[in-house]
Amino acid sequence: YTKEYDHKRCSLYAAEVVWAALGIVVDKARLAMAWLQDTSRVLSKLNMPVRWTTPMGLPVSQDYRVEQGTVVEAFFAGTRVQLTLVSDTDKRDGRKQALGIAPNFVHSMDGAHLMRTAVLGREAGIDALAVIHDSFGTHAADTETLHEVIREAFIQQYTPNVLENFRNEVVELLEKLGETDLIAELPPTPPMGNLDLEDIRRSDYLFA
């Protein structure tokens, strides 16, 4: 380590390498991410937020706006200072909408899976549940039951094509708005892979 060591350049290089590797190792995830971004860009042409409904029925709205800064001068302790007040405009930020859609969509799916796990767990007699994002915990006596419940909730959630459901919601919205030309611009839903969701029941490492 030296003072000349350029952390920024190294981190940018590492980011490029990891990103390229993801395209090889989890290429379908990259494909789904690109599809979500392309769908978001279509809605951005109408200056609209991106909306979808999670498998548990929770409506989600992603609404990044273009920000506008106003410089305000003030005096504090005899010194003049400049402050910038940032406020949202009425225009959606298409770049942020595209960048945010994939992680926000995935996190909403994770949240829906958590909700379904809690519901099914309660039905299975689990009264204590601790969670940190996508890690689940309960009392030792209920661990095996939770193991099964997590997987059952996952299978139930993803048996329908959640991406197709999202696309259908977008199409329905565009139809209501009479924007049939934009429907033609929507990319087709990415093809399904060959994973048999039932195999997840035998997966030891699906969740922590």
Side-chain angles (χ1 to χ4, degrees), residues 18-29:
V18 171
W19 183 250
L22 287 175
I24 299 172
V25 179
V26 285
D27 58 317
K28 299 303 182 186

Side-chain angles (χ1 to χ4, degrees), residues 50-103:
V50 183
R51 294 191 174 98
W52 66 91
T53 306
T54 73
M56 290 298 286
L58 179 70
V60 181
S61 178
Q62 176 185 281
D63 192 7
Y64 292 113
R65 307 287 185 98
V66 173
E67 296 179 340
Q68 178 178 278
T70 302
V71 177
V72 178
E73 292 189 353
F75 285 89
F76 178 74
T79 302
R80 188 181 72 171
V81 295
Q82 286 188 332
L83 305 174
T84 301
L85 301 179
V86 179
S87 59
D88 291 336
T89 65
D90 293 332
K91 181 176 175 56
R92 269 74 189 186
D93 190 323
R95 180 176 175 275
K96 287 185 178 180
Q97 289 287 83
L99 289 175
I101 182 62

Side-chain angles (χ1 to χ4, degrees), residues 4 7 15 36 40 48 53 58 63 82 87 91 104 106 120 127 137 144 146-148 158 161 164 175 190 199:
E4 290 75 27
H7 293 279
L36 287 166
S40 170
M48 295 183 60
T53 306
L58 179 70
D63 192 7
Q82 286 188 332
S87 59
K91 181 176 175 56
N104 288 336
V106 170
L120 295 182
D127 295 321
E144 286 302 317
L146 181 60
H147 177 98
E148 297 173 1
Y158 292 106
N161 187 332
E164 187 67 35
E175 286 176 342
D199 289 343

Side-chain angles (χ1 to χ4, degrees), residues 35 39 43 50-55 57-60 105 109 162-176 186:
W35 179 83
T39 302
L43 290 174
V50 183
R51 294 191 174 98
W52 66 91
T53 306
T54 73
L58 179 70
V60 181
F105 186 86
M109 293 299 113
V162 294
L163 295 182
E164 187 67 35
N165 289 344
F166 174 49
R167 189 180 191 279
N168 290 339
E169 283 192 78
V170 174
V171 169
E172 183 179 352
L173 173 63
L174 294 177
E175 286 176 342
K176 288 181 179 179
L186 287 175

